[in-house]
Structures are given as structure tokens and as C-alpha cells.
Amino acid sequence: MRRLVMWDVDYTLLRGGGVASTAWRAAFCELTGLIWRETPVFGGRTDMDICAEVFATHGVTDCTPERFFLRYVAEVRRTQHLFAEQGSLMPGVRDVVARLGGHPGVVQTLVTGNVPEVAAAKVAAFDLGGAFDAEVGGYGTDDHVRATLVKRSLERAEAKYGERFQAVVIGDTVHDVTAALANGAYAVAVATGSTKMAELVLAGAHAVLPDLSDVEATVRILTES
């Protein structure tokens, strides 16, 4: 059985340098005409979930998430050159992704709380877009609940390739770990975000790494464990 390696984006693959959150605020204020009051916690959450919180915090009742996302995506595309200027890839990522890309038993995709267009802009900024089968990914427009993103990705992959996969989720938050476990996936956690290794262990991750700088060990865990 081949492996479907589901990559989280933010603080797992890369650090975006605040470009997306700035675009989010700009798009919201322009669309609603309101002053930004409070920034939510973005880490590990879906854009659908964050959107619901932002709307509630600001008392917005006359706008849909779909309408907001159109404006948000346009703002991200306008400023996407800043991802590479202000952000960076996380340690070891380019080498690990390249090694997995040459592995016959692996398909790589993205399972991220970002909407698809923003996820694509982020990885493209670091020349990684071609490494992932974006068609079978799970995204922040699929559902409020992160576990559903993993489920959708697995369903899409099995429908496209006509075979079953062993799902492997790699991310930096407790949300990534619990979403993996809810779907019977192998959970690999990296402490490259704000969540400590001990918290990721307690969440039930099968493997926890400080980062991906040990390329050999990371590839072995993602393909053999």
C-alpha cells in the first residue's frame, strides 16, 4: 500500500512572514468597512473556522465566507511575492520533499487550514508547487473541522488513483495530530511552530521531531514507520 503524505503548510513546510494574516485583515476591512478589532489564533485551524470567529467578533451578518475568501485570495495574490521576501522554508523541508518526490511508494499532498489558492501561493513562492498533488489535498474550505480535511484528502486520492493509501499526516500543532488520529492516519509532529514537543507527544503523535533537518531520519519515519 502506497503512502499519502499529507503536509500541513504553515510552520511545517514554511514560515509565511505574516503575509497571509496581513492580507486577511486588509481584505476583511475593505470588504466590510469595519475597523479590525482582534486577531484570532490562526495556528492549526481551518479558514472556515477562523472566518466564523472573525465575523462573530466583528458582528458581521451580511457577508458569506465564500465572498470574503474571494477578496482574501485576491489580496494574497497581489502580495504573494512577499512570502519569499519575508518568510522562509523550515529546516530540511526542501530535501525531505525532494527525497519523497522520488519515492515510488509515496504521493505528497497538502492538508492545510488554508483555502486552496492561498496554500498554492505559499508553496509556489518557494518553488515547491510541483511537489504536491494539489487535486487530492484537504483545505480550509472543506469544513470547519480539521479532521474532515484529512478524510476528504484520502477520499480524493483513492478516487483519483483507484487504490487505497496509508495516510501519513505531518504538522506542527495538536490539531494536526488529533485530525490524523481521528482518521486512523500515522501522525508525525514537528515542533517548528509554537507547540512544544511534550504537548505533541501528549496529543498522541506517533513520532515527534524537533524539525526536519535530519533528512534521513525524517524520510525513514514518513515512509517506513
Side-chain angles (χ1 to χ4, degrees):
M1 187 182 297
R2 288 203 291 172
R3 294 195 166 206
L4 182 66
V5 177
M6 303 173 173
W7 287 92
D8 172 53
V9 173
D10 296 296
Y11 291 96
T12 301
L13 284 171
L14 57 89
R15 180 179 61 83
V19 177
S21 58
T22 298
W24 184 291
R25 290 193 299 271
F28 178 83
C29 294
E30 180 179 324
L31 189 62
T32 64
L34 298 173
I35 296 173
W36 186 260
R37 295 180 188 171
E38 185 177 342
T39 300
V41 174
F42 283 87
R45 299 173 64 192
T46 68
D47 278 356
M48 285 285 287
D49 187 35
I50 297 166
C51 192
E53 179 183 331
V54 170
F55 281 12
T57 298
H58 292 81
V60 174
T61 58
D62 58 350
C63 185
T64 64
E66 292 76 16
R67 185 176 166 214
F68 167 71
F69 289 147
L70 285 174
R71 184 68 199 89
Y72 169 50
V73 167
E75 185 65 20
V76 167
R77 286 176 172 162
R78 187 183 70 81
T79 58
Q80 66 182 22
H81 63 282
L82 296 175
F83 284 122
E85 295 177 18
Q86 298 177 192
S88 63
L89 284 179
M90 305 309 283
V93 161
R94 192 175 299 281
D95 290 337
V96 171
V97 169
R99 286 280 301 278
L100 293 178
H103 196 295
V106 171
V107 172
Q108 297 184 88
T109 192
L110 303 174
V111 171
T112 169
N114 290 284
V115 301
E117 298 87 348
V118 173
K122 289 179 178 180
V123 296
F126 297 95
D127 298 319
L128 287 180
F132 309 105
D133 185 345
E135 289 184 349
V136 302
Y139 301 98
T141 46
D142 284 327
D143 200 80
H144 289 260
V145 180
R146 186 143 192 141
T148 306
L149 278 54
V150 175
K151 180 181 179 183
R152 293 284 180 269
S153 178
L154 191 57
E155 290 171 345
R156 287 167 181 151
E158 293 182 343
K160 178 176 179 176
Y161 291 96
E163 62 184 277
R164 294 186 61 199
F165 285 90
Q166 169 62 54
V168 180
V169 173
I170 178 166
D172 68 290
T173 72
V174 168
H175 297 291
D176 298 295
V177 175
T178 56
L181 298 179
N183 287 277
Y186 190 81
V188 179
V190 285
T192 43
S194 60
T195 309
K196 298 183 184 301
M197 292 184 72
E199 295 176 70
L200 297 168
V201 171
L202 287 173
H206 296 98
V208 180
L209 303 169
D211 57 35
L212 305 183
S213 57
D214 188 336
V215 175
E216 295 296 332
T218 302
V219 170
R220 186 167 60 251
I221 287 168
L222 292 172
T223 60
E224 299 177 9
S225 298

